[in-house]
Amino acid sequence: MSAEDAEVLLRDSMDARRTAMLDHMAGEYTRLEEARRAFLAAGRRSVSASTTTRSSLAASTTGEAYHSPGASGRACAIMTGMDTRFLGIADLVEAPSVAVVVDVMRAFTVAAWAFAQGAEKIVLAESLDEALALKARHPDWVALKDGPPAPGFDTVNSPGLLRCIDLGGRTVVQKTTAGTVGALAVKEAPLVLCASFVVAEATAQLLRTHESDSVTFVVTGEDGQADEDLACAQYIARRATEAGTDAAEFLRRAAESRAAAELAEGVRQGVHPDDVALCLEVDRFPFAMVAALEGSLMVLRPRAMPSLTETSRENQSPPRPTGPTSPDHATVAPTVHTGRGSVRSNFGGRLQINP
């Protein structure tokens, strides 16, 4: 055998061993990843079972709702027999009787801000193509999406950006990676609520008013493993049965989640520096958000909760004047951090800057 043949044979042998080693490493990674997912899924099931047991035990003790004085001094019903489940989108096998779809960072924080900025309704789009088609048929609608700005879309899925846009009377079309997908997955449910920390108490209050025996919380992020969504879902479930629940531990988990880190570190695109802080504000708004089919479209609308609305009014400072000469009214193009620098919003028209 010549030296050249020996060299070729040796190189082929090394390549074969390297390939086998890489295949083995890939197999080990896959096995470990499957084990990790199974462990997290088991943990979610354990939490769900624990919550169900606790709720069932309370129901068997009293057999009915009891009443305690609310913040305004009036009696408010506290549910004691709510059977709760926490599922990822892929785990849904049938339409639940009541679904609470949770996306803290950032779909349903953004949706709440859109309503606070005056939006009349939000159409939850099945796909980017559907969102663009709806925008084309209704040029006055405001289309937004996850990620960096893109042609055809007016803005991005960022509460920090959206709080600077006057949406008075407008319809918003929203397409996100997880939140809108989760809401559409339960569109046949009789009652669908979309939630995040900013509407937590309003959502819990609506659940108490509805007096549902069974509620499914859809944890939309990371295939049902997003801790910020699970923490918020568990907080709302606890708040629906225990009005005095402290939010601190749930907020800590959300603040330490992978989503929060990715937003803060600029890993995700289309991010405003204030996004994480805005997503972690508890009970910022006095309304719940109810989604329902209107024709062929899944439409999200706000539903004010009277006691919270009154409390919000009591806490409001006197209105500040706005107008062409006011410092709160200006033609601006808010900055969006994309992870690769900053760009300006393409949203047309005058933007009302609301404090």
Side-chain angles (χ1 to χ4, degrees), residues 125-142:
E126 294 266 7
S127 64
L128 294 175
D129 288 342
E130 183 187 34
L132 290 173
L134 289 168
K135 172 70 176 178
R137 290 200 297 271
H138 307 278
D140 60 322
W141 287 11
V142 179

Side-chain angles (χ1 to χ4, degrees), residues 3-344:
E4 292 181 357
D5 290 340
E7 183 179 351
V8 169
L9 183 61
L10 177 61
R11 186 167 57 248
D12 290 345
S13 176
M14 292 176 63
D15 288 344
R17 285 197 298 272
R18 186 181 298 112
T19 299
M21 182 178 296
L22 290 173
D23 287 343
H24 175 73
M25 292 172 64
E28 285 297 298
Y29 174 82
T30 300
R31 183 182 64 79
L32 290 172
E33 180 64 16
E34 289 176 350
R36 184 184 73 86
R37 289 179 177 273
F39 175 78
L40 291 173
R44 292 200 309 276
R45 288 194 296 271
S46 175
V47 169
S48 178
S50 175
T51 304
T52 298
T53 301
R54 183 172 59 251
S55 298
S56 299
L57 178 60
S60 65
T61 302
T62 64
E64 57 184 11
Y66 64 91
H67 292 77
S68 65
S72 62
R74 293 187 298 273
C76 59
I78 307 297
M79 294 170 51
T80 59
M82 187 172 70
D83 176 19
T84 56
R85 296 187 301 163
F86 303 91
L87 301 176
I89 298 172
D91 299 323
L92 295 164
V93 294
E94 59 184 3
S97 58
V98 177
V100 180
V101 186
V102 181
D103 189 330
V104 173
M105 298 183 185
R106 294 164 287 173
F108 297 139
T109 301
V110 166
W113 271 100
F115 290 131
Q117 293 301 100
E120 177 185 350
K121 63 183 180 182
I122 299 175
V123 177
L124 306 178
E126 294 266 7
S127 64
L128 294 175
D129 288 342
E130 183 187 34
L132 290 173
L134 289 168
K135 172 70 176 178
R137 290 200 297 271
H138 307 278
D140 60 322
W141 287 11
V142 179
L144 64 87
K145 59 175 281 295
D146 274 336
F153 288 89
D154 300 293
T155 187
V156 295
N157 190 48
S158 162
L161 174 63
L162 205 69
R163 65 179 172 171
C164 297
I165 301 177
D166 181 5
L167 297 172
R170 307 287 290 276
T171 294
V172 173
V173 180
Q174 185 181 33
K175 171 66 180 85
T176 69
T177 306
T180 59
V181 176
L184 289 164
V186 292
K187 62 184 178 182
E188 302 297 335
L191 177 61
V192 178
L193 306 179
C194 296
S196 61
F197 280 111
V198 296
V199 293
E201 171 56 23
T203 304
Q205 189 176 119
L206 185 52
L207 290 174
R208 293 196 294 265
T209 302
H210 193 265
E211 297 185 352
S212 305
D213 292 330
S214 176
V215 178
T216 295
F217 288 86
V218 182
V219 180
T220 61
E222 299 178 30
D223 297 326
Q225 300 171 25
D227 201 32
E228 74 281 3
D229 292 340
L230 181 58
C232 183
Q234 292 171 341
Y235 175 63
I236 293 172
R238 183 81 63 83
R239 193 83 171 257
T241 58
E242 302 173 24
T245 299
D246 187 358
E249 176 61 20
F250 301 95
L251 288 172
R252 182 195 63 76
R253 287 167 52 194
E256 294 176 358
S257 67
R258 185 170 78 173
E262 290 180 351
L263 289 172
E265 295 168 6
V267 174
R268 300 188 185 187
Q269 299 185 44
V271 178
H272 187 280
D274 294 338
D275 278 355
V276 173
L278 292 172
C279 290
L280 297 179
E281 289 186 310
V282 178
D283 303 336
R284 169 96 190 203
F285 304 115
F287 53 79
M289 300 187 293
V290 182
L293 285 171
E294 297 184 13
S296 61
L297 299 176
M298 190 67 164
V299 177
L300 187 63
R301 295 181 184 272
R303 181 176 297 180
M305 305 309 294
S307 62
L308 294 179
T309 302
E310 292 172 10
T311 302
S312 177
R313 287 173 180 167
E314 292 171 0
N315 294 334
Q316 281 181 350
S317 58
R320 300 171 62 188
T322 59
T325 60
S326 166
D328 287 336
H329 194 281
T331 302
V332 298
T335 299
V336 186
H337 294 263
T338 65
R340 294 176 299 189
S342 301
V343 298
R344 295 289 183 178

